[in-house]
Amino acid sequence: MTIINYIWLGERSLGALELFNVYSWKLVGCDVAIYTFHWGNGRAHDAQSLGLSQDDGVDVHDMHAILEADASVNDGDDPRKICADMREVLSSWYSRVWSSGLDGAEDKRQDQIFNMVDLTKSYIGATRLGIVLDFKVGPSPHLGLYSEAFTQKFISYTRGSLMVGGASGAPENQCIGTMHAEGTIRRDYAKLFSAKFKLGVDDFKTGFNLKKYDLFTTYHARSFMQLKKDALNVTLKGPDGLPMSPMYDVEEIADEKGHGPFRVFKRAGDQTNQSGGVKTTPSEVKALAKHVLDHETANFEGPYLAKMSRAWSAMPG
């Protein structure tokens, strides 16, 4: 069974789109885990604070507890040991937020949040079984065709053409991870990412107010591409590793076409780390969610379908 790992940092509960995608994954039989960090000093999210019910079957993890537990791992081949530098920086950032809060200036708050989110993505992708995705990503009708590939490859994808510092076709860090049971691919990714990250540990710790997340995207892209035969870019290749075929097309925002096992509820050119491009509107997101409900859920029933419908009703637009 595929595990979907989401990252959620902040005080508020999940919004309507986030809930819609969580329930979409549950509807198609996936496990969902959410790795959280609450801004409030000493506080931790649980299912209720995220707007979920206990019977939703979603695992909620607190990143403070995760990092503390991971620090006790001594096996040098364990990705949790390999990612010690990443953990050190994340711990310092989380502790800084708890002691001093986020910077009051909007641009600095944004940089701080994106720094934490992007580094947390790679840390969880390297150390936990499953596929880390942005909350704007849900399953496509082709998900089942990729399930075996998820167990054999490290997964990522290319989104748009605005990847900073990467070669053509380099993947974004909106998607990171593998269902490879032995963990050796995660270990290799952890080694590759950590080697790039290691020299900047002190700089990252003191540069919390600066825009660092572009570097993490680049580190991810380069590490992914160095995995070579163990990597699969699921928007460029089918589950067999061959170049993408139209049979894996996915309906997305405003008649855009995605490809592969995932659907992204955002325009391909609407990227947070870049200016320009046409921005996605709430009405476009809601229209795409309605398409999913109307055309892709006929073979499903049960409480998650009803929860998806309620989440759709709560979407703006």
Side-chain angles (χ1 to χ4, degrees):
M1 181 180 294
T2 297
I3 300 171
I4 300 302
N5 294 324
Y6 281 130
I7 309 298
W8 188 252
L9 309 188
E11 298 175 332
R12 67 182 180 89
S13 58
L14 302 178
L17 176 60
E18 289 87 8
L19 290 170
F20 183 88
N21 279 331
V22 166
Y23 297 138
S24 296
W25 288 112
K26 297 296 292 185
L27 183 73
V28 299
C30 295
D31 285 341
V32 176
I34 305 177
Y35 290 84
T36 68
F37 168 56
H38 198 292
W39 295 161
N41 193 336
R43 296 183 62 184
H45 276 296
D46 56 18
Q48 183 177 8
S49 71
L50 293 177
L52 297 163
S53 302
Q54 292 296 337
D55 63 2
D56 286 336
V58 175
D59 295 323
V60 179
H61 301 283
D62 173 52
M63 283 302 301
H64 264 287
I66 289 286
L67 297 182
E68 183 177 353
D70 287 1
S72 66
V73 175
N74 292 316
D75 181 355
D77 283 331
D78 191 306
R80 293 171 293 180
K81 180 68 172 179
I82 296 167
C83 292
D85 291 326
M86 297 166 66
R87 183 169 57 251
E88 179 182 345
V89 173
L90 282 173
S91 295
S92 73
W93 286 352
Y94 295 162
S95 295
R96 177 169 175 168
V97 173
W98 272 9
S99 64
S100 305
L102 292 168
D103 192 292
E106 184 61 32
D107 59 335
K108 297 303 181 185
R109 285 175 59 90
Q110 176 175 286
D111 287 344
Q112 291 169 350
I113 292 169
F114 291 164
N115 286 342
M116 288 188 289
V117 168
D118 280 18
L119 187 54
T120 303
K121 288 178 192 175
S122 281
Y123 185 83
I124 295 301
T127 62
R128 262 63 190 179
L129 185 70
I131 314 296
V132 179
L133 293 172
D134 283 5
F135 262 107
K136 60 178 174 286
V137 183
S140 88
H142 313 304
L143 176 69
L145 299 175
Y146 280 81
S147 59
E148 184 176 354
F150 286 1
T151 68
Q152 299 173 353
K153 304 291 184 180
F154 196 94
I155 304 302
S156 194
Y157 67 60
T158 298
R159 184 70 183 163
S161 58
L162 300 177
M163 216 294 290
V164 173
S168 176
E172 290 278 359
N173 59 1
Q174 299 174 19
C175 171
I176 303 172
T178 179
M179 288 297 298
H180 187 239
E182 295 178 5
T184 54
I185 302 178
R186 276 189 302 282
R187 180 197 64 200
D188 291 344
Y189 175 79
K191 287 181 176 179
L192 290 165
F193 191 101
S194 295
K196 298 172 181 61
F197 185 85
K198 188 175 183 63
L199 294 177
V201 170
D202 290 337
D203 179 56
F204 288 131
K205 289 170 68 174
T206 58
F208 186 41
N209 287 324
L210 305 176
K211 184 179 179 182
K212 299 291 188 180
Y213 52 90
D214 282 345
L215 278 175
F216 303 148
T217 304
T218 302
Y219 290 171
H220 165 69
R222 292 175 179 168
S223 300
F224 176 85
M225 296 175 81
Q226 284 177 280
L227 289 171
K228 297 180 180 178
K229 65 180 180 62
D230 289 327
L232 182 67
N233 187 326
V234 296
T235 53
L236 298 183
K237 294 184 178 180
D240 53 7
L242 296 176
M244 183 56 65
S245 162
M247 70 178 290
Y248 300 114
D249 283 357
V250 181
E251 294 295 330
E252 292 190 346
I253 293 291
D255 296 324
E256 288 188 354
K257 286 285 192 295
H259 311 280
F262 307 125
R263 167 179 280 113
V264 185
F265 285 79
K266 194 174 184 180
R267 287 179 179 270
D270 181 3
Q271 294 193 347
T272 307
N273 65 351
Q274 296 286 332
S275 60
V278 179
K279 297 301 181 183
T280 310
T281 67
S283 60
E284 289 173 334
V285 171
K286 188 166 188 175
L288 182 57
K290 188 65 164 62
H291 167 85
V292 172
L293 287 170
D294 288 348
H295 299 286
E296 297 179 11
T297 61
N299 296 324
F300 297 95
E301 59 184 17
Y304 293 121
L305 183 56
K307 290 172 185 285
M308 286 173 62
S309 295
R310 288 197 293 271
W312 172 82
S313 296
M315 290 180 186

